[in-house]
Amino acid sequence: MDTEFGKLGLVICYELRFPEVSRQLALEGADFLIVSAGWYGGILKEDHWEVLVRARAIENTTFVCAANQTGNIFSGRSMVADPMGVILASGGEEEGLILAEIDQNRVKRVKDKLPSMVHRRPEFYAKLSNHSSS
């Protein structure tokens, strides 16, 4: 989705567990990944949320803005992660507004330090004939 701020890649909560979804959006030029979530609370679930948000930011060298529902069964903890996985802003378990200052030049600086997207070699990826989990 093109905006005046850049190209947004839209992700829903469960897709955080599938890195190829975010990678495809990054390869298509997403400047920011926007995550809309209803992430359940529970043992280690909040940790998964933070680790996955940060991982998608790091591996795709992009900002990730992740909004999660609060109340009842949801854990909240909305956050903004920068391309190095640094949490710039985060919320608690209650409804609220979080603000983060985004330096759009940060992506270029991080890509200069960690050019992993350029170093990808998809031609060496194993091609599996059967993707079942038997």
Side-chain angles (χ1 to χ4, degrees):
M1 170 189 282
D2 290 313
T3 72
E4 63 185 280
F5 305 107
K7 192 169 189 177
L8 308 181
L10 306 177
V11 178
I12 60 169
C13 57
Y14 192 55
E15 291 174 335
L16 279 177
R17 295 191 179 276
F18 302 94
E20 59 273 15
V21 174
S22 295
R23 174 55 51 94
Q24 187 60 42
L25 293 168
L27 290 173
E28 292 174 5
D31 298 304
F32 303 92
L33 295 177
I34 308 298
V35 182
S36 174
W39 200 269
Y40 291 110
I43 297 173
L44 296 179
K45 297 283 274 180
E46 290 88 357
D47 289 336
H48 290 185
W49 167 253
E50 181 177 333
V51 167
L52 292 170
V53 168
R54 294 179 69 206
R56 299 301 82 89
I58 294 166
E59 68 198 9
N60 294 298
T61 324
T62 189
F63 287 94
V64 176
C65 304
N68 189 28
Q69 292 183 53
T70 62
N72 296 324
I73 57 176
F74 302 110
S75 61
R77 296 185 59 189
S78 297
M79 66 185 75
V80 177
D82 86 351
M84 287 290 276
V86 174
I87 302 299
L88 300 178
S90 62
E93 79 285 357
E94 294 181 351
E95 186 176 328
L97 176 67
I98 61 171
L99 302 172
E101 188 171 319
I102 304 275
D103 175 359
Q104 291 181 308
N105 294 317
R106 176 83 167 133
V107 172
K108 182 187 178 329
R109 292 194 311 272
V110 172
K111 285 183 179 186
D112 288 345
K113 289 179 193 177
L114 299 170
S116 58
M117 291 290 283
V118 174
H119 291 162
R120 292 175 59 250
R121 294 294 176 256
E123 64 271 18
F124 296 130
Y125 296 173
K127 298 206 186 251
L128 303 175
S129 60
N130 184 355
H131 295 285
S132 67
S133 57
S134 39

